[in-house]
């Protein structure tokens, strides 16, 4: 799962930011897996229920791909197609 950002002004491309992958954002210990602690780290509280929403998203995706308590890039991409 890769995110690329292009910033444009009119017809001219002003800046192309490097692509970042799911693992680059979330996998802080570089083991190829993202656990709930790593998942929480870059995310702000979402809505009035804060961390509960962040935890719910992780748990929902984890359950869709086998419920092992860790996600890798392929798990996350596969879960997005199932949602």
């Amino acid at each position: 799962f890769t995110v690329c950002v292009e910033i444009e002004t009119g017809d001219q491309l002003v800046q192309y930011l490097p692509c970042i992958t799911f693992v680059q954002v979330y996998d802080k210990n570089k083991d190829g897996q993202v656990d709930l602690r790593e998942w929480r780290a870059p995310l702000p509280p979402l809505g009035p229920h804060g961390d509960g929403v962040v935890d719910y998203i992780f748990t929902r995706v984890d359950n869709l791909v086998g419920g092992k308590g860790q996600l890798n890039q392929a798990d996350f991409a596969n879960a997005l197609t199932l949602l």
Side-chain angles (χ1 to χ4, degrees):
F1 180 68
T2 303
V3 177
C4 299
V5 178
E6 293 178 356
I7 301 171
E8 297 182 29
T9 304
D11 295 330
Q12 183 180 13
L13 179 65
V14 175
Q15 186 176 8
Y16 178 77
L17 302 176
C19 294
I20 55 173
T21 66
F22 171 79
V23 172
Q24 287 173 312
V25 172
Y26 294 98
D27 185 18
K28 297 305 177 189
N29 65 2
K30 308 291 188 231
D31 68 352
Q33 302 289 319
V34 175
D35 61 24
L36 183 56
R37 182 185 51 78
E38 290 172 308
W39 173 258
R40 284 184 189 140
L43 293 173
L46 301 174
H49 301 290
D51 286 337
V53 174
V54 172
D55 292 358
Y56 172 79
I57 293 168
F58 180 89
T59 302
R60 176 84 170 116
V61 170
D62 184 40
N63 288 337
L64 286 170
V65 295
K68 59 188 183 290
Q70 294 186 325
L71 302 172
N72 61 35
Q73 189 162 326
D75 291 339
F76 194 78
N78 289 337
L80 287 177
T81 64
L82 296 172
L83 290 175

